[in-house]
Every structure is written in structure tokens, then in C-alpha cells.
């Protein structure tokens, strides 16, 4: 861990497989049809500033751990949100066991702890798992209030 991760994302519009970096100046778009791609990245103590704080779009932070059952339930819902809101948000997943400083910074005493960050500032916070519609409403509200 500690290295920047990047993933392969299949475009839902044209099927093209794109490589999406963990951090970038803009938001990722499909190389073929130029539609926005879902942006899902991992971060830890070393990469969080670059991957999450410096992002130009609102960031949904998922503070999770491998042993946490509710985390495993909420992660797919968050990934669905990242697909639904492609181009508008970035999802950053942080394993708190491997990221003690990030865990401490956000006082993640219970997990999952979910945050919406804008320019490194916490715009919204939620502790505990929730079903997709509730998460969607929570993120929509955070984006509405966080937009200048
Ligand atoms: Zn495409």
C-alpha cells in the first residue's frame, strides 16, 4: 500500500475500457466517446492529500475496514452512486486500518464513516451504512449545499 492506484473502468456508454488515474487535474472521460467515467480511487495516509483534498470535484470518502460487515454492504451502493454521478463526484475509499492519520483526522470512531469533502473541507458526514436511496439523498443534499 501507499502507491497510487489506478483502475480500469469500462465506459457504460460505448464499452471502451479506460485507464483511470487515482488523481488527475480534471475528471476522467472516456477516450472514445468522451462521456464522463465513474471515478473510484483508493487512498491512504500518504496519498489522501493528492487523491482527495486536491480533487476539483466533491469527494465522497468511504472510511472502511476489511473486518467491518456494514462496510461491505455500503461499498457497492457507493460505487453505484459514483457511476450514477460520473463526472460530478469522486469516490475515495480509505482503509482505516492502514491509514491511522486519516482515521484520526476525521475522528472515525465508528465505521463506515462517510464524508463529502469539498476542497478538503467536510461538507457532510454520515456514520453507519444506509441503503442506496438514502445515500443518494444524502449526497444530493451535500452537493446542493456545497456548490458555490
Ligand atoms: Zn465511451
Amino acid at each position: 500500500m501507499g502507491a497510487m492506484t489506478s483502475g480500469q473502468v469500462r465506459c457504460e456508454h460505448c464499452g471502451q475500457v479506460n485507464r483511470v488515474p487515482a488523481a488527475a487535474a480534471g475528471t476522467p472521460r472516456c477516450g472514445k466517446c468522451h462521456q464522463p467515467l465513474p471515478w473510484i480511487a483508493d487512498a491512504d495516509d500518504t496519498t489522501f492529500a493528492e487523491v482527495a483534498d486536491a480533487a476539483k470535484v466533491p469527494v465522497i470518502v468511504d472510511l472502511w475496514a476489511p473486518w467491518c460487515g456494514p462496510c461491505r454492504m455500503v461499498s457497492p451502493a457507493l460505487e453505484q452512486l459514483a457511476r450514477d454521478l460520473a463526472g460530478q463526484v469522486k469516490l475515495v475509499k480509505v482503509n482505516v486500518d492502514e491509514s491511522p492519520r486519516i482515521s484520526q483526522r476525521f475522528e472515525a470512531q465508528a465505521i463506515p464513516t462517510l464524508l463529502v469533502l469539498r476542497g478538503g473541507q467536510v461538507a457532510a458526514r454520515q456514520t453507519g451504512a444506509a441503503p442506496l436511496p438514502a445515500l443518494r439523498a444524502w449526497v444530493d443534499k451535500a452537493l446542493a449545499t456545497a456548490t458555490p
Side-chain angles (χ1 to χ4, degrees):
M1 292 299 288
M4 301 281 285
T5 53
S6 67
Q8 304 254 318
V9 176
R10 188 177 166 279
C11 175
E12 295 188 9
H13 297 274
C14 73
Q16 174 82 15
V17 175
N18 293 264
R19 192 176 166 278
V20 174
T27 54
R29 285 179 179 276
C30 176
K32 194 171 172 189
C33 73
H34 308 293
Q35 292 290 325
L37 292 170
W39 204 1
I40 300 170
D42 293 305
D44 59 20
D45 282 350
T46 8
T47 58
F48 192 86
E50 187 179 3
V51 173
D53 289 335
K56 296 286 182 283
V57 288
V59 177
I60 303 170
V61 180
D62 178 15
L63 299 170
W64 70 283
W67 45 264
C68 159
C71 298
R72 284 195 293 271
M73 287 164 54
V74 82
S75 285
L78 292 172
E79 285 164 18
Q80 181 62 48
L81 265 181
R83 285 192 288 273
D84 292 348
L85 297 170
Q88 299 175 62
V89 298
K90 179 178 186 178
L91 172 61
V92 175
K93 300 202 254 187
V94 178
N95 180 339
V96 293
D97 285 352
E98 295 173 346
S99 312
R101 282 190 299 157
I102 294 304
S103 175
Q104 192 175 30
R105 170 177 162 187
F106 296 115
E107 297 167 345
Q109 272 130 13
I111 51 172
T113 289
L114 312 176
L115 308 162
V116 176
L117 287 192
R118 184 130 191 154
Q121 301 295 314
V122 177
R125 179 185 183 104
Q126 139 123 11
T127 304
L132 180 60
L135 289 172
R136 176 65 199 253
W138 174 72
V139 169
D140 282 346
K141 185 161 173 277
L143 295 186
T145 51
T147 305

